[in-house]
């Protein structure tokens, strides 16, 4: 155990004990957060230079700070909090006027609006120092200032806090239970560092005016979860598209460049801790969190976006804009990335976000230090692919982490540009207040550091009902229906995780896919090919027993193997290099089904009297666009046009195919598939086992079709 002590800038004595613990200690905290105040934060992603894996958490903090509008309060949550509260109370009283007589458990102050007198007006460069509830937060940070890297304020910052800096006309009614800020002062933290492979528990003792927390109980209030009532209705289809149409009119007038309105979905959630654990598994993200805010309210989320991070004088942000759905496999992902990166609209979205972000930093950073250090970088999530910029700057000496936080309020990626007009559009067109959505979660360190994530992909859970808000970045060239689908896709990751938690036994086991090769034996002839094992694996996946023989084996072995299907593999060279005609004669003499791939197809065409030609330009490892020619048993279940992998220099032109029906061509007339269903003879010029033939499961479908068609 390591112990150290120090005195903060405000004269508060701090003693810290550090000891190694098992990682299960953090899971115990997560479980406790179902009923007790606190928070757990984790990063489920590694991106070099941007994110690394870590986790920390706390339960039963000693002090809670809560803001509603311009009123901010500090409450002692246990006996330890009563010791610390006088130090925090003096900070709040220095920033505002008491709303009621302070008590040993609570102090509440109102921070008045700044006057419009010339002497009280601050220039835009000092906007983060205007009198707001953050004036009180700044006083607390100053009083507890020290070099401990973990002690600080942890919690959530609501969207409406921006209205203390921006003159937004409020059109929506604010619910009575809405809070704009909840921050905790923990006195016990579990910190996991994945890079150093450590898990450490930190316990803090405070001394304020000679009173000490040593020996006092750390426990706090516990409230069991509330069973949900009736769920509010989800938005009707087409409602969001109307908002997009309204935004397009504002773009046309020049009122807006971009705007990010959202819509709200609802689901049941009676176990926030289980939801958090499930979300970490199903939707890993740089900012995963569960925060128990008290009063029956939780925030659970997996946010992809950094809000503001400060280390020393370095301030960082990572705006995200540009979104496309993931494919079903890496090849489809690659195509989606290609589409995303080539989209002028998606590039414009991110460009505007980054230009606004650079502008925000330029208010408080050393001239010339604001730089884009990563441009349109790709980040992959469970259902989405995003483009991300990474921006940094160096704080001027007169500014600190809180200035960096406030200058970006709120990120253009959740509001729009120009910010004030975009936020007014959101206020005028969203159905309900945003509460926590579009704000931030994380911590402000008393050592001057900060790490916060945007409150996106987040469920606000109150009395058993989870509210999930999702938005899309709109431009003049936005398609209303497509943008509405994007909001639904963004919300689906959380709604899916909620469904899994709410009904763990109701999700049926996946149906076993029929295996048409069960009970069948396949003889695969290898022509010194580099892909034969993958081809064999595709047949085995369909239930077939596969025996692979290198070419040149005695023909009598066909009888001993007794295959139900013979597959002629791809390979280099020409069919004559392997004497394939003789083997095909032996196969046909036994009336065995045969399937030729690439070189195999070429041998079958040549054996039937057709001719082969060399391509003008060899196609090796290239993507081919393949079109079906009418009905095809071999290509049943495939679309009229699909993508397949080409690895060939030889080809058969359509008029040169004898004895077979060509059933697929490339745009320039190369035969890609042949079949003789009656005699059970089939071939494809492309490679069904290649990753380039995975779109829509095309390759696997062809193998399954061959096996079905080969049965007597």
């Amino acid at each position: 155990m390591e112990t150290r002590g120090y005195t903060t800038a405000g004269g508060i004595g701090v003693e810290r004990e550090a000891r190694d613990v098992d990682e299960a200690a953090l899971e115990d905290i997560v479980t406790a957060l179902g009923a007790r105040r606190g928070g757990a934060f984790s990063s489920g992603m590694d991106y070099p230079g941007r994110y690394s894996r870590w986790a920390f958490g706390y339960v039963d903090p000693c002090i809670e700070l809560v803001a509603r509008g311009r009123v901010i309060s500090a409450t002692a949550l246990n006996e330890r909090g009563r010791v610390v509260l006088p130090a925090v109370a003096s900070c709040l009283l220095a920033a505002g006027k008491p709303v009621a007589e302070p008590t040993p458990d609570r102090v509440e102050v109102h921070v008045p609006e700044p006057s419009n007198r010339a002497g009280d007006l601050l220039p835009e460069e000092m906007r983060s120092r205007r009198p707001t509830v953050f004036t009180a937060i700044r006083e607390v940070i100053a009083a507890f200032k020290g070099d401990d890297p973990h002690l600080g304020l942890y919690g959530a910052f609501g969207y409406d806090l921006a209205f203390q800096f921006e003159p937004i006309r409020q059109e929506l009614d604010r619910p009575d239970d809405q809070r704009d800020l909840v921050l905790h002062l923990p006195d016990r933290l579990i910190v996991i560092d994945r890079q150093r492979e450590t898990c450490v528990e930190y316990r803090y003792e405070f001394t304020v005016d000679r009173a000490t927390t040593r020996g006092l109980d750390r426990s706090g209030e516990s409230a069991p979860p509330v069973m949900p009532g009736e769920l509010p209705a989800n938005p009707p289809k087409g409602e969001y598209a109307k908002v997009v149409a309204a935004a397009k009119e504002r773009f046309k007038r020049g009122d807006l460049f971009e705007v990010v309105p959202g819509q709200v979905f609802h689901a049941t959630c009676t176990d926030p801790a289980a939801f958090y654990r499930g979300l970490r598994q199903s939707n890993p993200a740089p900012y995963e969190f569960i925060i128990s805010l008290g009063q029956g309210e939780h925030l659970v989320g997996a946010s992809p976006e950094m809000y503001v991070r400060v280390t020393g004088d370095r301030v960082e942000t990572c705006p995200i804009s540009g979104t496309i759905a993931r494919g079903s496999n890496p090849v489809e992902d690659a195509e989606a990335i290609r589409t995303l990166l080539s989209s002028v609209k998606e590039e414009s979205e991110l460009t505007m976000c980054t230009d606004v972000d650079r502008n925000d930093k330029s208010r408080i950073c050393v001239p010339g230090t604001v730089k884009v250090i990563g441009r349109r970088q790709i980040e992959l999530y469970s259902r989405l692919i995003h483009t991300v910029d990474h921006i940094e700057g160096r704080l001027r000496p007169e500014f600190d982490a809180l200035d960096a936080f406030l200058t970006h309020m709120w990120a253009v990626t959740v509001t729009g540009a120009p910010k004030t007009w975009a936020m007014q559009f959101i206020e005028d067109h969203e159905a309900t207040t945003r509460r926590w959505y579009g704000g931030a979660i994380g911590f402000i360190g008393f050592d001057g550091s900060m790490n916060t994530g945007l409150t996106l992909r987040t469920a606000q859970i109150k009395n058993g009902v989870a509210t999930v808000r999702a938005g899309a970045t709109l431009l003049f060239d936005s398609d209303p229906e497509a943008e509405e689908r994007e909001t639904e896709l963004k919300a689906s990751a959380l709604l899916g995780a909620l469904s899994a938690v709410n009904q763990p036994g109701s999700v049926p086991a996946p149906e076993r896919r029929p295996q048409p090769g069960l009970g069948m034996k396949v003889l695969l002839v290898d022509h010194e090919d580099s892909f034969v094992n993958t081809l064999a694996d595709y047949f085995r996946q369909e239930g077939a027993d596969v025996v692979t023989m290198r070419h040149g084996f005695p023909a009598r072995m066909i009888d001993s193997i007794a295959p139900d299907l013979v597959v002629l593999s791809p390979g280099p060279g020409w069919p004559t290099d392997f004497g394939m005609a003789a083997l095909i004669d032996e196969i046909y003499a036994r009336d065995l089904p045969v399937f030729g791939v690439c070189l195999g197809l070429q041998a079958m065409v040549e054996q039937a009297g057709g001719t082969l030609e060399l391509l003008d330009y060899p196609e090796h490892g290239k993507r081919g666009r393949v079109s079906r020619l009418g009905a095809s048993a071999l290509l049943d279940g495939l679309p009229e046009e699909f993508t397949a992998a080409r690895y060939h220099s030889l080809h058969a032109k359509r008029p040169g195919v004898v004895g077979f029906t060509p059933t697929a061509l490339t745009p320039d007339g190369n035969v890609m598939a042949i079949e003789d269903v009656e005699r059970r003879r089939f071939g494809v010029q492309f490679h069904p086992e290649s990753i380039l033939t995975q779109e829509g499961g095309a390759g696997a479908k062809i193998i399954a079709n061959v096996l079905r068609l080969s049965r007597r």
Side-chain angles (χ1 to χ4, degrees), residues 235-278:
K237 285 283 186 183
E239 199 66 29
Y240 190 83
K242 294 177 184 176
V243 176
V244 180
K248 287 167 76 77
E249 291 299 315
R250 301 294 295 274
F251 296 139
K252 190 183 297 185
R253 288 190 72 246
D255 295 345
L256 298 169
F257 308 145
E258 64 178 352
V259 69
V260 193
Q263 60 175 341
V264 172
F265 305 87
H266 298 92
T268 298
C269 182
T270 57
D271 191 343
F275 174 36
Y276 169 66
R277 290 188 174 106

Side-chain angles (χ1 to χ4, degrees), residues 225-517:
V226 177
M227 295 306 294
E230 185 177 350
L231 289 179
N234 284 332
K237 285 283 186 183
E239 199 66 29
Y240 190 83
K242 294 177 184 176
V243 176
V244 180
K248 287 167 76 77
E249 291 299 315
R250 301 294 295 274
F251 296 139
K252 190 183 297 185
R253 288 190 72 246
D255 295 345
L256 298 169
F257 308 145
E258 64 178 352
V259 69
V260 193
Q263 60 175 341
V264 172
F265 305 87
H266 298 92
T268 298
C269 182
T270 57
D271 191 343
F275 174 36
Y276 169 66
R277 290 188 174 106
L279 199 57
R280 281 163 52 195
Q281 294 295 319
S282 65
N283 193 48
Y287 291 90
E288 305 159 345
F289 55 91
I290 174 173
I291 309 175
S292 178
L293 301 168
Q295 300 181 14
E297 185 174 17
H298 290 77
L299 289 180
V300 178
S303 175
E305 186 168 344
M306 179 192 299
Y307 177 55
V308 175
R309 184 167 65 193
V310 178
T311 309
D313 69 343
R314 184 186 188 219
V315 53
E316 299 172 82
T317 53
C318 292
I320 291 178
S321 199
T323 302
I324 196 167
R326 288 196 66 168
S328 61
N329 56 57
V331 177
E332 292 183 8
D333 280 347
E335 278 301 298
I337 291 169
R338 190 197 311 269
T339 300
L340 180 59
L341 290 177
S342 62
S343 168
V344 174
K345 172 188 175 291
E346 303 290 348
E347 182 179 12
S348 297
E349 285 184 15
L350 187 55
T351 296
M352 284 193 270
C353 290
T354 294
D355 279 343
V356 174
D357 186 286
R358 290 168 61 239
N359 174 75
D360 292 338
K361 284 185 179 59
S362 295
R363 183 186 284 120
I364 46 97
C365 286
V366 174
T369 65
V370 177
K371 294 181 173 133
V372 178
I373 59 175
R375 173 63 173 163
R376 297 199 82 196
Q377 298 178 315
I378 292 294
E379 289 186 2
L380 282 77
Y381 294 90
S382 62
R383 305 190 185 198
L384 298 168
I385 302 171
H386 291 305
T387 47
V388 184
D389 282 358
H390 191 177
I391 307 162
E392 71 169 9
R394 298 286 173 172
L395 288 169
R396 299 211 299 268
E398 63 268 33
F399 293 118
D400 57 22
L402 202 55
D403 295 305
F405 182 92
L406 296 176
T407 193
H408 290 88
M409 188 177 283
W410 286 115
V412 63
T413 51
V414 292
T415 54
K419 268 192 194 179
T420 305
W421 287 51
M423 293 172 80
Q424 188 64 64
F425 180 90
I426 289 167
E427 178 73 15
D428 293 342
H429 289 86
E430 288 192 344
T432 59
T433 60
R434 287 194 162 189
R435 291 190 182 239
W436 304 108
Y437 177 83
I441 53 86
F443 75 90
I444 305 172
F446 294 147
D447 66 341
S449 66
M450 170 183 288
N451 194 356
T452 56
L454 268 177
T455 316
L456 302 172
R457 316 289 154 81
T458 298
Q460 180 235 354
I461 303 161
K462 180 79 170 177
N463 297 330
V465 174
T467 300
V468 177
R469 190 181 297 261
T473 302
L474 310 183
L475 305 181
F476 178 68
D477 44 1
S478 287
D479 173 74
E481 287 72 26
E483 301 291 5
E484 182 164 337
R485 287 194 299 273
E486 181 176 320
T487 66
E488 294 165 352
L489 182 61
K490 286 177 175 176
S492 67
L494 267 74
L495 296 173
L498 280 164
S499 177
V501 170
N502 292 335
Q503 300 174 315
S506 66
V507 181
E511 292 184 17
R512 289 183 61 85
R513 189 169 57 86
Q515 292 182 297

Side-chain angles (χ1 to χ4, degrees), residues 85-154:
L85 185 62
V88 178
S90 63
C91 297
L92 268 60
L93 292 168
K97 298 179 179 179
V99 174
E101 186 69 26
T103 71
D105 294 314
R106 181 179 171 83
V107 62
E108 186 174 34
V109 303
H110 176 264
V111 182
E113 293 262 9
S115 74
N116 289 324
R117 292 182 304 213
D120 294 333
L121 290 176
L122 292 175
E124 276 298 299
E125 288 80 2
M126 300 298 292
R127 64 178 275 128
S128 55
R129 300 300 174 98
R130 292 175 184 171
T132 65
V133 294
F134 286 99
T135 307
I137 301 296
R138 191 184 298 280
E139 293 282 349
V140 174
I141 295 170
F144 282 81
K145 184 177 180 181
D147 61 0
D148 187 288
H150 304 297
L151 194 59
L153 299 175
Y154 293 73

Side-chain angles (χ1 to χ4, degrees), residues 1-6 14-21 147-150 189 196 198-205 214 218:
M1 180 182 293
E2 174 194 339
T3 304
R4 61 162 297 209
Y6 64 94
V14 179
E15 292 181 26
R16 187 190 75 184
E17 293 179 351
R19 64 187 182 99
D20 294 335
V21 295
D147 61 0
D148 187 288
H150 304 297
L189 282 160
R196 297 180 180 178
T198 61
C199 181
V200 180
E201 179 188 57
Y202 297 98
R203 287 175 175 257
Y204 296 90
E205 303 293 349
R214 184 168 294 280
R218 293 179 184 271

